[in-house]
Amino acid sequence: MENEDHVTMELQALLDKQPLIQTKRCSIYKVPDQIRETNVKAYIPTVVSIGPLHHGDPRLQKMEDHKLLYYKHFIQRSNASLSELVSCVRWLEPQISACYSEKIDLTVDEFLKVILVDSAFIIEFLFEDEWTKGDIIFSQQWLRNQINSDLILLENQLPFFVLEKIYNLAFASMLPNGGHEFPSFTLLDFAFAFSVSFTFTINKILKPPPHDSSILHFTDMFRYLLLKQQPSGRKDASLALGRCASELAEAGVKFIVNKSSSSMLDLEFKNGTLTIPPIQVEDGTEIWLRNVVALEQCHYPKQHYITDYVRFLGHLMNTNKDAGVLIKAGIIDCIVGGGNYESSVAKLFNDVRKNILVTDTNVDFLQICNDLNGYYKNPWHRMMATLRGDYFATPWKAAGSIAAIVLLILTVIQTVCSILQVK
């Protein structure tokens, strides 16, 4: 009876416990284990922690003193007092907390300190004015690049709205509406995302998102920059590309780089030619690609356009030979460390698409897959590709083949004439 009462009390405690429930406001997620297990390091900051999820990591303590230096400079030039800034963050605290998918193991006061100090660090880092240019971060390019990388990690984010609120409060009199030349925080965020998006060779004529847009954080801004236009519709179907790049090339498909593209989704298959925007694959490509895909898995389950792109290129590049086709066409500019570029590229796209759950697909990609499959199945295309490969692959082969054909025709004519003369 006593044990039963003890069990009853424990079960009642479970009923009384307030569970952690993700709300519609949730936008900053711990990457699911089944996704992160293929490369855990791609989701963890290496230099600086931002927000509560990695706060207190012993590996990142060295940067904490540096963040305080940036925080001090921010407070010194802020038009708002420290108490006003703290009041702002305290008022926003329930909304900020609701943005995180994980339980925050900090007191409210500790949480407020993390948010304000990290916000000040980010704002000062984005300014790049005369003060920061003389700082150690900006004098060591490797450190600056590493911070850039850390700032786009999904788990290492602050909500965009709190950064914007603090920025606007601190520099209210200096913003464009006040007659001064301070950029809006949206513009600063956009400029940062654009500066680290060099891995995708994009059309430089770009517009930042509208001021009233629903950008969530830096990872989301990076995704916005990669999309850059209203994506196509979606259909409840999976990609089914039956052949890889080398097989398609052997069937006569030509691979052409689309240098005028304004979005990485601008793929087109027409008249036997597949055009794909260029992408530069370097050591940091896997990190941003994985984090954007993770964001789509967690927050955009019905709008995972970048995931579709990764899956399509993964289908194209099953082997090193397939990657070589895209590299030779100039679609992929590979500057990954080491000499075996084809192996690195093929592995990257196939690793990123592992353990990804999809429920629908970009209709344009589905159509391209259907058209490519149909093109490959046509025996005429494969026969013509074989003829071109065997007899017209080089100018010398073409000249020899044409000479042989002419000689054959002349021989036939001569034979016919000889027969007619005999008669």
Side-chain angles (χ1 to χ4, degrees):
M1 188 70 176
E2 184 176 341
N3 289 338
E4 290 180 358
D5 290 341
H6 182 67
V7 171
T8 301
M9 291 173 63
E10 289 185 347
L11 289 174
Q12 183 61 48
L14 290 177
L15 292 174
D16 296 337
K17 183 179 180 180
Q18 183 68 29
L20 177 66
I21 300 176
Q22 292 185 12
T23 66
K24 290 183 179 180
R25 185 176 288 277
C26 183
S27 61
I28 302 170
Y29 304 85
K30 195 80 171 179
V31 177
D33 290 341
Q34 66 270 24
I35 296 177
R36 71 189 302 122
E37 67 182 10
T38 54
N39 187 354
V40 175
K41 292 182 179 180
Y43 307 101
I44 300 175
T46 59
V47 174
V48 61
S49 70
I50 298 296
L53 297 186
H54 290 279
H55 180 73
D57 188 331
R59 299 177 306 106
L60 310 174
Q61 290 306 300
K62 186 176 181 180
M63 187 57 66
E64 289 302 308
D65 288 340
H66 216 79
K67 285 200 292 187
L68 290 177
L69 184 64
Y70 275 54
Y71 160 74
K72 181 178 180 181
H73 190 268
F74 170 79
I75 297 299
Q76 287 174 345
R77 68 170 170 177
S78 168
N79 292 156
S81 66
L82 178 57
S83 61
E84 289 174 322
L85 292 168
V86 171
S87 296
C88 173
V89 178
R90 190 179 295 279
W91 180 70
L92 293 172
E93 186 273 329
Q95 301 174 52
I96 302 170
S97 298
C99 291
Y100 292 92
S101 66
E102 301 293 307
K103 181 181 178 181
I104 300 171
D105 293 326
L106 298 170
T107 66
V108 173
D109 288 347
E110 289 172 338
F111 182 63
L112 296 179
K113 292 176 186 176
V114 169
I115 297 301
L116 185 54
V117 171
D118 288 359
S119 296
F121 171 77
I122 288 176
I123 292 170
E124 291 293 321
F125 181 77
L126 296 186
F127 259 127
E128 292 192 43
D129 58 11
E130 292 304 317
W131 177 80
T132 54
K133 286 180 180 178
D135 182 64
I136 187 173
I137 290 178
F138 288 86
S139 62
Q140 298 185 22
Q141 188 62 43
W142 72 268
L143 181 57
R144 182 181 177 186
N145 289 345
Q146 198 59 62
I147 293 175
N148 286 343
S149 182
D150 284 351
L151 289 181
I152 63 173
L153 302 180
L154 178 57
E155 298 178 357
N156 212 37
Q157 296 300 315
L158 291 179
F160 183 87
F161 69 83
V162 68
L163 286 163
E164 190 171 41
K165 288 279 189 182
I166 291 174
Y167 180 85
N168 290 344
L169 179 61
F171 307 120
S173 65
M174 306 177 197
L175 295 175
N177 290 339
H180 292 265
E181 297 181 356
F182 263 44
S184 67
F185 187 78
T186 300
L187 191 58
L188 275 181
D189 187 5
F190 175 79
F192 165 76
F194 182 80
S195 70
V196 298
S197 66
F198 57 88
T199 49
F200 177 50
T201 309
I202 50 179
N203 188 329
K204 300 302 181 182
I205 304 175
L206 298 172
K207 292 182 179 180
H211 180 68
D212 58 350
S213 65
S214 56
I215 297 296
L216 305 172
H217 40 64
F218 284 141
T219 316
D220 195 42
M221 176 65 87
F222 201 77
R223 176 179 179 270
Y224 169 87
L225 191 63
L226 294 173
L227 294 177
K228 277 183 297 301
Q229 60 186 31
Q230 185 64 34
S232 303
R234 307 189 65 79
K235 186 177 180 181
D236 186 13
S238 297
L239 286 174
L241 184 57
R243 300 294 170 177
C244 54
S246 58
E247 293 174 317
L248 291 171
E250 290 170 0
V253 174
K254 296 179 181 178
F255 291 84
I256 303 295
V257 60
N258 179 7
K259 293 184 178 180
S260 62
S261 169
S262 62
S263 169
M264 69 190 304
L265 305 183
D266 287 342
L267 281 68
E268 183 182 29
F269 180 65
K270 188 176 182 181
N271 298 327
T273 300
L274 179 61
T275 57
I276 303 176
I279 180 171
Q280 187 180 85
V281 176
E282 46 84 47
D283 291 330
T285 303
E286 182 176 357
I287 292 176
W288 67 256
L289 208 52
R290 279 183 174 276
N291 280 271
V292 172
V293 168
L295 171 63
E296 290 192 330
Q297 283 286 286
C298 296
H299 198 79
Y300 298 106
K302 294 291 185 179
Q303 297 174 295
H304 45 74
Y305 289 96
I306 306 302
T307 303
D308 293 339
Y309 170 85
V310 171
R311 293 177 62 238
F312 181 81
L313 261 64
H315 281 297
L316 274 182
M317 296 184 289
N318 286 330
T319 66
N320 300 350
K321 184 179 179 182
D322 301 322
V325 171
L326 299 189
I327 292 173
K328 184 178 180 181
I331 293 168
I332 294 179
D333 178 16
C334 187
I335 54 175
V336 176
N340 194 352
Y341 297 150
E342 293 84 358
S343 175
S344 299
V345 171
K347 185 177 186 303
L348 187 156
F349 282 94
N350 282 285
D351 282 355
V352 173
R353 69 187 180 107
K354 286 180 181 177
N355 301 331
I356 296 298
L357 177 66
V358 296
T359 55
D360 52 25
T361 306
N362 182 339
V363 292
D364 290 343
F365 285 14
L366 289 173
Q367 187 62 52
I368 290 173
C369 285
N370 291 335
D371 291 346
L372 284 170
N373 291 334
Y375 190 93
Y376 182 85
K377 291 176 181 177
N378 189 325
W380 172 256
H381 294 146
R382 292 202 297 276
M383 183 180 69
M384 292 301 297
T386 300
L387 287 174
R388 285 194 296 267
D390 291 345
Y391 300 103
F392 298 92
T394 66
W396 292 109
K397 276 191 175 183
S401 299
I402 293 172
I405 293 171
V406 171
L407 181 60
L408 177 62
I409 293 173
L410 292 175
T411 301
V412 171
I413 293 174
Q414 184 180 20
T415 302
V416 172
C417 291
S418 298
I419 294 172
L420 292 176
Q421 287 177 356
V422 171
K423 289 183 177 182

